[in-house]
Tab-separated table of all heavy atoms in Angstrom:
chain	number	residue	atom	x	y	z
A	422	GLU	N	-6.905	-9.046	-33.255
A	422	GLU	CA	-5.890	-9.717	-34.034
A	422	GLU	C	-4.457	-9.293	-33.629
A	422	GLU	O	-3.558	-9.178	-34.479
A	422	GLU	CB	-6.115	-9.517	-35.520
A	422	GLU	CG	-7.411	-10.164	-35.972
A	422	GLU	CD	-7.732	-9.945	-37.434
A	422	GLU	OE1	-6.990	-10.514	-38.243
A	422	GLU	OE2	-8.676	-9.193	-37.722
A	423	ALA	N	-4.297	-9.030	-32.306
A	423	ALA	CA	-2.955	-8.746	-31.825
A	423	ALA	C	-2.458	-9.972	-31.058
A	423	ALA	O	-3.218	-10.940	-30.837
A	423	ALA	CB	-2.985	-7.518	-30.940
A	424	GLU	N	-1.165	-9.899	-30.646
A	424	GLU	CA	-0.531	-11.093	-30.019
A	424	GLU	C	-0.205	-10.827	-28.552
A	424	GLU	O	0.405	-9.799	-28.229
A	424	GLU	CB	0.778	-11.329	-30.805
A	424	GLU	CG	1.607	-12.471	-30.312
A	424	GLU	CD	3.065	-12.295	-30.659
A	424	GLU	OE1	3.387	-11.542	-31.638
A	424	GLU	OE2	3.940	-12.808	-29.924
A	425	VAL	N	-0.616	-11.753	-27.681
A	425	VAL	CA	-0.309	-11.587	-26.257
A	425	VAL	C	1.115	-12.069	-25.992
A	425	VAL	O	1.435	-13.246	-26.219
A	425	VAL	CB	-1.309	-12.401	-25.398
A	425	VAL	CG1	-0.910	-12.329	-23.900
A	425	VAL	CG2	-2.723	-11.929	-25.560
A	426	TYR	N	1.954	-11.179	-25.538
A	426	TYR	CA	3.360	-11.510	-25.215
A	426	TYR	C	3.429	-12.202	-23.889
A	426	TYR	O	4.046	-13.288	-23.730
A	426	TYR	CB	4.225	-10.240	-25.240
A	426	TYR	CG	5.636	-10.498	-24.799
A	426	TYR	CD1	6.566	-11.046	-25.660
A	426	TYR	CD2	6.059	-10.173	-23.465
A	426	TYR	CE1	7.885	-11.294	-25.226
A	426	TYR	CE2	7.342	-10.399	-23.080
A	426	TYR	CZ	8.244	-10.973	-23.940
A	426	TYR	OH	9.518	-11.207	-23.535
A	427	GLU	N	2.738	-11.642	-22.887
A	427	GLU	CA	2.774	-12.223	-21.544
A	427	GLU	C	1.673	-11.523	-20.723
A	427	GLU	O	1.224	-10.431	-21.096
A	427	GLU	CB	4.124	-12.059	-20.866
A	427	GLU	CG	4.309	-12.789	-19.554
A	427	GLU	CD	5.784	-12.970	-19.174
A	427	GLU	OE1	6.461	-13.885	-19.765
A	427	GLU	OE2	6.320	-12.193	-18.338
A	428	LEU	N	1.307	-12.134	-19.612
A	428	LEU	CA	0.395	-11.484	-18.645
A	428	LEU	C	1.171	-11.255	-17.340
A	428	LEU	O	1.825	-12.220	-16.861
A	428	LEU	CB	-0.829	-12.354	-18.350
A	428	LEU	CG	-1.752	-12.559	-19.577
A	428	LEU	CD1	-1.559	-13.943	-20.137
A	428	LEU	CD2	-3.233	-12.367	-19.187
A	429	ALA	N	1.118	-10.070	-16.816
A	429	ALA	CA	1.946	-9.714	-15.633
A	429	ALA	C	1.056	-9.233	-14.471
A	429	ALA	O	0.161	-8.406	-14.689
A	429	ALA	CB	2.913	-8.615	-15.998
A	430	PHE	N	1.320	-9.764	-13.314
A	430	PHE	CA	0.556	-9.445	-12.096
A	430	PHE	C	1.481	-9.145	-10.952
A	430	PHE	O	2.557	-9.788	-10.850
A	430	PHE	CB	-0.341	-10.628	-11.707
A	430	PHE	CG	-1.251	-11.075	-12.796
A	430	PHE	CD1	-0.845	-12.067	-13.707
A	430	PHE	CD2	-2.500	-10.503	-12.984
A	430	PHE	CE1	-1.655	-12.465	-14.756
A	430	PHE	CE2	-3.310	-10.899	-14.020
A	430	PHE	CZ	-2.883	-11.862	-14.895
A	431	MET	N	1.062	-8.284	-10.039
A	431	MET	CA	1.823	-8.110	-8.825
A	431	MET	C	1.570	-9.334	-7.913
A	431	MET	O	2.511	-9.899	-7.360
A	431	MET	CB	1.376	-6.792	-8.132
A	431	MET	CG	2.080	-6.526	-6.866
A	431	MET	SD	1.404	-5.007	-6.136
A	431	MET	CE	2.072	-5.167	-4.471
A	432	ILE	N	0.328	-9.756	-7.810
A	432	ILE	CA	-0.061	-10.840	-6.869
A	432	ILE	C	-0.802	-11.944	-7.589
A	432	ILE	O	-1.671	-11.680	-8.437
A	432	ILE	CB	-0.999	-10.271	-5.785
A	432	ILE	CG1	-0.270	-9.190	-4.968
A	432	ILE	CG2	-1.505	-11.383	-4.842
A	432	ILE	CD1	-1.178	-8.453	-3.983
A	433	GLU	N	-0.461	-13.170	-7.240
A	433	GLU	CA	-1.207	-14.348	-7.765
A	433	GLU	C	-1.773	-15.121	-6.554
A	433	GLU	O	-1.030	-15.470	-5.655
A	433	GLU	CB	-0.226	-15.229	-8.529
A	433	GLU	CG	-0.830	-16.504	-9.023
A	433	GLU	CD	0.183	-17.358	-9.869
A	433	GLU	OE1	1.312	-16.859	-10.164
A	433	GLU	OE2	-0.181	-18.468	-10.218
A	434	LEU	N	-3.084	-15.351	-6.592
A	434	LEU	CA	-3.712	-16.179	-5.571
A	434	LEU	C	-3.727	-17.624	-6.080
A	434	LEU	O	-4.654	-18.016	-6.804
A	434	LEU	CB	-5.130	-15.674	-5.238
A	434	LEU	CG	-5.282	-14.190	-4.854
A	434	LEU	CD1	-6.728	-13.848	-4.543
A	434	LEU	CD2	-4.392	-13.817	-3.680
A	435	SER	N	-2.724	-18.377	-5.695
A	435	SER	CA	-2.448	-19.692	-6.329
A	435	SER	C	-3.643	-20.649	-6.188
A	435	SER	O	-3.932	-21.390	-7.155
A	435	SER	CB	-1.213	-20.323	-5.737
A	435	SER	OG	-0.124	-19.462	-5.913
A	436	ASP	N	-4.296	-20.633	-5.013
A	436	ASP	CA	-5.396	-21.578	-4.802
A	436	ASP	C	-6.547	-21.480	-5.803
A	436	ASP	O	-7.277	-22.394	-6.049
A	436	ASP	CB	-6.045	-21.336	-3.404
A	436	ASP	CG	-5.129	-21.826	-2.310
A	436	ASP	OD1	-4.070	-22.386	-2.615
A	436	ASP	OD2	-5.450	-21.567	-1.125
A	437	LEU	N	-6.687	-20.293	-6.399
A	437	LEU	CA	-7.815	-20.067	-7.307
A	437	LEU	C	-7.471	-20.474	-8.745
A	437	LEU	O	-8.326	-20.418	-9.639
A	437	LEU	CB	-8.258	-18.594	-7.242
A	437	LEU	CG	-8.855	-18.185	-5.894
A	437	LEU	CD1	-9.128	-16.710	-5.800
A	437	LEU	CD2	-10.143	-18.971	-5.614
A	438	LYS	N	-6.221	-20.932	-8.952
A	438	LYS	CA	-5.845	-21.596	-10.176
A	438	LYS	C	-6.022	-20.789	-11.456
A	438	LYS	O	-6.329	-21.296	-12.547
A	438	LYS	CB	-6.571	-22.914	-10.333
A	438	LYS	CG	-6.279	-23.900	-9.186
A	438	LYS	CD	-6.785	-25.282	-9.497
A	438	LYS	CE	-6.321	-26.394	-8.575
A	438	LYS	NZ	-5.926	-26.127	-7.237
Side-chain angles (χ1 to χ4, degrees):
E422 297 178 68
E424 178 207 336
V425 176
Y426 174 78
E427 188 159 281
L428 295 102
F430 305 90
M431 179 183 166
I432 299 172
E433 176 177 354
L434 305 181
S435 304
D436 287 355
L437 294 173
K438 300 193 168 25

